[in-house]
Amino acid sequence: MNISNHLFLKAAKSVLEEYKSSLNAEDIYNTASEKKLLNSKGKTPVNTMRARLAEEIRTNGVNSIFIRVGPNKFGLRVWIDNDNIHEYKTRSFLDSQKDETLITIPREKFGSLLNTFGFNSNFKRSIKIVDNKNNWEIIKRSEADRKLNLKQIVTYVILKNFEDKYLVFKRGHYTKLRGQLANLLCIGFGGHLEIKDENLFENIIISCARREINEELKSIYINNLKIIGIINDESSTLGIKHIAFVMTGELPQNFDVKNWSTEKSINKLELVTEKELWKNFHELEFWSMLVARKLIKIPRGTESIIINLQKKITKNVPLIIVGSISSGKSEICKYLHDIYNIAIISSSKLISELLNLPTFDEADRENFQDKTDSFVKSIKGLNEFVNAIYFETNKFKDRIFIVEGLRNITVYEKLVKKIGKHTLLYIDTPKDKGFEFFKNRLGFNTTVEEYRKRLEHNVEKEVKMFKRKADVIIFNGGSKNSLFKAIDNWWKLNVEI
């Protein structure tokens, strides 16, 4: 994000927080100008404000801190659960999808197949379920998106050329799988199974794959399409509503990424080797990670833990560590404490003291999350929490220390205004690895549903927003030992004490 964009969005957030009410772009800009939060030299600053807000919402989807509440009217996403505020959906490129007529299957038809999480190479039973028209529920896309009892069938096709290079792309802002996947690297082409995919000459799933690829990669014919497995991902509400048939196919000999046109959801086409794909594994969307692990042998020397360093940690500068549940955040904090004697300020412990509640290790976590979420979203609670953390930081003026467990962007922004220089470290963990860590902590019988509910709780909604602000990003995709080894190497080479 360039500086100009950042200033407009920062000013809009400040105005909306102060007024605690939705405003149109003109009122937001004029108020920001009066308060000297902005001093635009452009000819149409109101249009710029409107465009910046619209772009932010379109780019980041549910991860944007802003929402539309009406035509040219904006608010903050944290307000959705309060005062009957609802997100306004504008007409766009995606509207045409609402008229798609999908073939869906009631969840119960898949039975025990839905107990698997991730990629499964046993797909023949699933094909029989889809081929049986008695299982079909034919429904409009807009209605299907509201139902969790139906599985929307999608195809996910991995394409290679004659040199065994994989075709990859980045999802555009018009992605059919929602804004949260925009800008992620992907190796799967395809889309939803529709009633128009019935075909006398081909399996309906193959027919769907051909049609979708022809729409995404204009007028292309793929050779040797074959199904190799299914993906069932119940770790998110989006995943619950889909089951994907994973396929492989061969690009035509004359395929050249420079000369091929694509639809708006497909950006930055590129052909990459297996080694190049693994080098960028941490940038893949989750389904592409699942498929890559199954199809491609990990090249020797490839690291499963990647640390993306934007700046060094220096003496007396606090380290703020953020990550979603079961990302490895607590293990990293404990390791730095035990090995390098780094003091830890636990935000959950401070919250429990402020609310006079036992920590979630000793009590019902959902109850703890509910009360924490309500507390930090109130002005009084927000200020008390930030002041409590700041009070603790004053104990460690002569050394590096960790602030662990922040989940709210506003808390973070208010805190750093007080403490000044700091390093923000974000831990990014694939959801299947996160579920594995989650089960190790809570027990073997822990379900994906329990994991999903924790991930999608209101208190967790803003965690992913920290990634864009982070100075250091750790991709935690390996074992605990490989994680600690990577941290040791990073700490010794990059930390200036």
Side-chain angles (χ1 to χ4, degrees):
M1 182 186 297
N2 65 40
I3 294 175
S4 175
N5 290 358
H6 175 72
L7 290 176
F8 271 86
L9 295 176
K10 185 178 179 181
K13 181 174 182 290
S14 178
V15 169
L16 290 169
E17 284 179 338
E18 180 174 347
Y19 275 75
K20 298 181 179 61
S21 177
S22 54
L23 298 168
N24 61 39
E26 184 176 5
D27 289 338
I28 292 173
Y29 174 76
N30 289 339
T31 303
S33 181
E34 288 171 7
K35 293 181 173 294
K36 298 184 179 180
L37 300 174
L38 273 177
N39 182 23
S40 175
K41 296 180 180 179
K43 294 181 179 180
T44 56
V46 173
N47 290 342
T48 302
M49 175 64 76
R50 184 186 299 110
R52 295 294 76 78
L53 288 166
E55 181 182 22
E56 164 70 11
I57 293 168
R58 185 177 66 246
T59 300
N60 297 301
V62 296
N63 291 324
S64 171
I65 64 172
F66 299 102
I67 56 169
R68 289 182 187 270
V69 298
N72 188 33
K73 204 167 187 180
F74 301 91
L76 296 175
R77 187 167 296 278
V78 293
W79 296 346
I80 286 180
D81 297 325
N82 303 317
D83 302 323
N84 294 317
I85 288 179
H86 303 285
E87 188 167 9
Y88 172 77
K89 301 294 185 181
T90 58
R91 290 191 60 81
S92 70
F93 173 82
L94 296 178
D95 285 346
S96 61
Q97 297 173 17
K98 301 306 179 183
D99 294 325
E100 292 175 354
T101 303
L102 305 185
I103 296 172
T104 67
I105 310 286
R107 287 179 60 86
E108 65 266 17
K109 300 293 184 182
F110 288 99
S112 61
L113 288 171
L114 300 188
N115 294 335
T116 61
F117 174 31
F119 180 91
N120 186 345
S121 57
N122 298 320
F123 57 87
K124 292 183 178 179
R125 183 179 157 202
S126 299
I127 291 177
K128 290 180 180 178
I129 292 169
V130 175
D131 282 343
N132 184 350
K133 293 186 179 182
N134 292 326
N135 293 329
W136 291 5
E137 186 163 333
I138 299 170
I139 190 172
K140 292 292 185 182
R141 171 79 177 270
S142 55
E143 187 178 352
D145 282 343
R146 296 194 296 268
K147 293 191 173 184
L148 296 182
N149 65 318
L150 298 176
K151 277 288 189 182
Q152 299 173 34
I153 314 303
V154 297
T155 54
Y156 201 77
V157 187
I158 287 66
L159 300 174
K160 294 171 70 175
N161 72 354
F162 64 95
E163 295 178 316
D164 281 338
K165 289 185 176 181
Y166 288 86
L167 186 63
V168 302
F169 67 96
K170 286 197 173 183
R171 291 197 183 276
H173 303 319
Y174 298 95
T175 172
K176 294 182 179 181
L177 292 178
R178 300 296 184 263
Q180 66 224 52
L181 299 184
N183 293 320
L184 293 179
L185 192 64
C186 181
I187 59 173
F189 295 80
H192 285 76
L193 183 67
E194 300 181 39
I195 191 64
K196 61 187 176 185
D197 292 319
E198 284 190 277
N199 191 314
L200 293 175
F201 305 103
E202 280 190 307
N203 172 283
I204 190 171
I205 298 170
I206 298 290
S207 178
C208 169
R210 288 204 187 282
R211 175 185 56 77
E212 286 284 353
I213 292 172
N214 266 277
E215 291 174 5
E216 293 181 334
L217 302 171
K218 307 296 184 182
S219 303
I220 194 171
Y221 186 84
I222 301 301
N223 299 307
N224 296 327
L225 269 178
K226 63 179 182 179
I227 301 170
I228 62 168
I230 58 173
I231 289 175
N232 184 53
D233 169 20
E234 310 242 325
S235 64
S236 67
T237 300
L238 182 64
I240 287 173
K241 294 185 286 190
H242 294 88
I243 191 164
F245 282 85
V246 181
M247 308 160 84
T248 57
E250 298 173 4
L251 292 163
Q253 288 275 343
N254 66 340
F255 181 81
D256 185 344
V257 292
K258 296 176 183 177
N259 301 325
W260 223 269
S261 62
T262 65
E263 68 173 23
K264 292 183 178 181
S265 64
I266 306 295
N267 287 339
K268 299 180 181 178
L269 278 181
E270 188 178 1
L271 285 163
V272 300
T273 64
E274 291 185 355
K275 187 173 183 180
E276 289 169 334
L277 185 63
W278 274 108
K279 183 179 179 181
N280 296 293
F281 181 82
H282 59 292
E283 296 181 8
L284 292 172
E285 67 179 27
F286 180 49
W287 285 9
S288 290
M289 288 182 178
L290 292 174
V291 175
R293 287 202 200 103
K294 292 294 180 181
L295 289 185
I296 307 170
K297 184 178 179 181
I298 302 176
R300 182 176 296 179
T302 301
E303 298 292 342
S304 55
I305 308 294
I306 297 170
I307 299 182
N308 182 10
L309 185 68
Q310 303 297 322
K311 71 177 184 181
K312 292 189 175 185
I313 297 174
T314 55
K315 185 177 180 180
N316 301 335
V317 172
L319 178 61
I320 299 176
I321 299 183
V322 179
S324 63
I325 60 166
S326 301
S327 61
K329 176 179 76 275
S330 298
E331 285 80 3
I332 290 173
C333 290
K334 186 177 185 303
Y335 186 78
L336 291 174
H337 171 74
D338 293 346
I339 304 301
Y340 296 100
N341 194 30
I342 308 301
I344 300 174
I345 298 172
S346 169
S347 61
S348 61
K349 183 178 178 182
L350 290 176
I351 281 282
S352 67
E353 291 172 355
L354 289 168
L355 294 177
N356 196 26
L357 286 173
T359 62
F360 55 76
D361 290 329
E362 304 159 357
D364 175 58
R365 176 157 186 161
E366 187 172 355
N367 177 56
F368 185 88
Q369 287 179 314
D370 288 341
K371 292 186 176 179
T372 296
D373 187 50
S374 297
F375 183 69
V376 299
K377 285 180 180 176
S378 70
I379 294 176
K380 181 175 181 293
L382 173 65
N383 289 330
E384 285 185 9
F385 185 35
V386 171
N387 289 336
I389 299 173
Y390 183 61
F391 178 79
E392 291 296 310
T393 66
N394 289 320
K395 299 177 182 179
F396 307 108
K397 289 295 185 182
D398 59 341
R399 56 188 286 201
I400 294 177
F401 60 89
I402 294 169
V403 178
E404 180 263 341
L406 295 186
R407 282 168 162 73
N408 182 282
I409 290 289
T410 305
V411 170
Y412 165 74
E413 290 176 344
K414 282 185 172 290
L415 178 62
V416 297
K417 282 182 180 179
K418 286 178 172 285
I419 63 176
K421 289 183 180 180
H422 67 286
T423 303
L424 177 61
L425 186 154
Y426 180 84
I427 302 155
D428 191 14
T429 304
K431 286 187 288 185
D432 56 336
K433 284 289 182 182
F435 179 54
E436 182 184 312
F437 301 153
F438 189 69
K439 281 203 303 183
N440 289 341
R441 193 172 79 234
L442 297 187
F444 181 75
N445 293 324
T446 304
T447 65
V448 178
E449 182 181 10
E450 292 175 275
Y451 176 56
R452 183 185 71 250
K453 285 181 177 178
R454 296 281 179 89
L455 280 177
E456 295 189 341
H457 191 281
N458 282 338
V459 80
E460 296 285 332
K461 283 185 177 178
E462 294 187 14
V463 172
K464 288 184 178 180
M465 297 182 193
F466 284 90
K467 186 174 181 179
R468 288 182 290 151
K469 298 175 176 287
D471 303 304
V472 181
I473 298 173
I474 295 181
F475 177 77
N476 185 14
S479 67
K480 189 178 289 189
N481 286 338
S482 61
L483 173 63
F484 293 159
K485 181 180 178 182
I487 288 174
D488 278 336
N489 291 336
W490 162 62
W491 195 264
K492 291 171 183 176
L493 292 173
N494 296 291
V495 179
E496 300 173 348
I497 301 178

